Every structure is written in C-alpha cells, then in structure tokens.
C-alpha cells in the first residue's frame, strides 16, 4: 500500500508549540515513527507539510493525478474547521482521505468541534497523538484486507 501523510498549518511546530496538547515529539520524530510502522507492514509512505492552503490542495490533486497513492492521511490543522477549498479537493479526488487530529477536538474549544472535511473523508481518528496517524493507517488497512 502506498500512503501519503499530509500535515497542514502549524503542524511543522509540533513538539514545540502547545506541548501540553500535542506532546513533545517533533513532526520529524512522528514521521520517523510512522515510517517505521509502515515499513514493518510492508507499506510505502511519504510525507508532505505546508502552512499554505493551496499547497495542501495541490498535494491532494497530485496524489490523484499521478495515480501513485492508495490512501491519504490528512491532519489539516485549523484548515479542518473552515477550508472549503480543501474539502472540495477531497471531494474531487478518488483517493480515500483519512482525517486525523492528534488532540481530542471535541474536548476543546467550540470552533474545533466542527470539521468541514469529515463529510468527504473516509474516516476520522483523533485524540491519540502519534497514535491517531497510526490508528488511521491500521484501521484503513484492516478494512481493506478484511482482518
Ligand atoms: C489539530 C486540531 C486542530 O483544531 C488544530 O487547529 C491543529 C491541530 C490536531 O491535530 O489536534 O492545528 O488538527
């Protein structure tokens, strides 16, 4: 399976910002652990991060148009709550997108409880830090392979 992990706005500061919420692992450390997990399962994974909405859209389009990705794991950060552009990009591609949040957004501020992306995503994992990414991949794989 070929996996693309996309992280959006402010996720580059993971491990440095709001560590009480997002933990101490940097994004590179999280990505290394996701990589190790995927390799141990015989899967391929690559990573993309941007603070720019349009670059996230381009990454989603690219994964679809190049035809070399089976599933996209997306933590869009705050874009989750208002980006109709990213929502439309997800709706416009046939590659399944898994929405991920490290924190439990439902236990936080009111504005975080609404995702404009969830209705067009295949599934959602949240609240488990690094485990939200791993859980998304594991859940998708379990369904695909009927384990
Ligand atoms: C987040 C939750 C969002 O509400 C927030 O804006 C983020 C990170 C998470 O991973 O918990 O930047 O997506």
């Amino acid at each position: 399976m070929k996996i693309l992990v996309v992280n959006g706005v402010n996720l580059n500061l993971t491990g440095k910002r709001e560590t009480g919420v997002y933990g101490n692992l940097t994004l590179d450390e999280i990505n290394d652990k996701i990589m190790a997990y995927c390799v141990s399962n015989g899967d391929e994974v690559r990573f993309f991060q941007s603070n720019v909405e349009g670059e996230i859209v381009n990454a989603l389009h690219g994964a679809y148009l190049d035809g070399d990705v089976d599933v996209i794991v997306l933590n869009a950060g705050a874009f989750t709550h208002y980006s109709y552009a990213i929502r439309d990009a997800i709706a416009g591609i046939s590659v399944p997108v898994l929405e991920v949040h490290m924190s439990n957004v439902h236990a936080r501020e009111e504005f975080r409880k609404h995702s404009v992306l969830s209705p067009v995503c295949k599934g959602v994992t949240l609240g488990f830090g690094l485990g939200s990414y791993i859980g998304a991949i594991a859940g998708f794989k379990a369904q695909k392979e009927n384990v």
Side-chain angles (χ1 to χ4, degrees):
M1 194 165 73
K2 291 183 179 167
I3 303 160
L4 173 65
V5 177
V6 176
N7 279 287
V9 61
N10 292 313
L11 272 303
N12 57 309
L13 291 185
T14 304
K16 300 182 182 76
R17 70 158 181 154
E18 298 185 79
T19 52
V21 178
Y22 301 117
N24 293 307
L25 292 177
T26 66
L27 190 59
D28 281 347
E29 289 168 338
I30 287 172
N31 288 349
D32 283 350
K33 287 174 190 291
I34 296 170
M35 170 75 86
Y37 176 79
C38 290
V39 168
S40 73
N41 286 316
D43 295 321
E44 281 177 35
V45 63
R46 49 194 175 83
F47 302 93
F48 178 77
Q49 190 277 328
S50 178
N51 294 320
V52 181
E53 187 181 22
E55 289 183 1
I56 306 286
V57 170
N58 286 343
L60 298 172
H61 288 184
Y64 169 57
L65 294 172
D66 295 346
D68 61 349
V69 171
D70 297 307
V71 63
I72 297 167
V73 176
L74 173 64
N75 184 348
F79 290 143
T80 302
H81 311 298
Y82 64 88
S83 176
Y84 298 120
I86 294 176
R87 177 192 168 117
D88 283 353
I90 296 169
I93 65 175
S94 57
V95 184
V97 176
L98 315 179
E99 178 182 342
V100 163
H101 301 287
M102 286 188 281
S103 65
N104 177 357
V105 286
H106 298 290
R108 301 180 63 195
E109 300 93 328
E110 209 54 39
F111 76 90
R112 295 188 203 278
K113 293 181 183 168
H114 182 64
S115 165
V116 300
L117 309 184
S118 295
V120 290
C121 285
K122 175 149 184 65
V124 183
T125 56
L126 55 90
F128 303 119
L130 159 70
S132 294
Y133 297 90
I134 302 285
I137 294 165
F140 181 79
K141 211 173 153 67
Q143 186 182 46
K144 191 169 180 244
E145 296 171 6
N146 261 333
V147 293

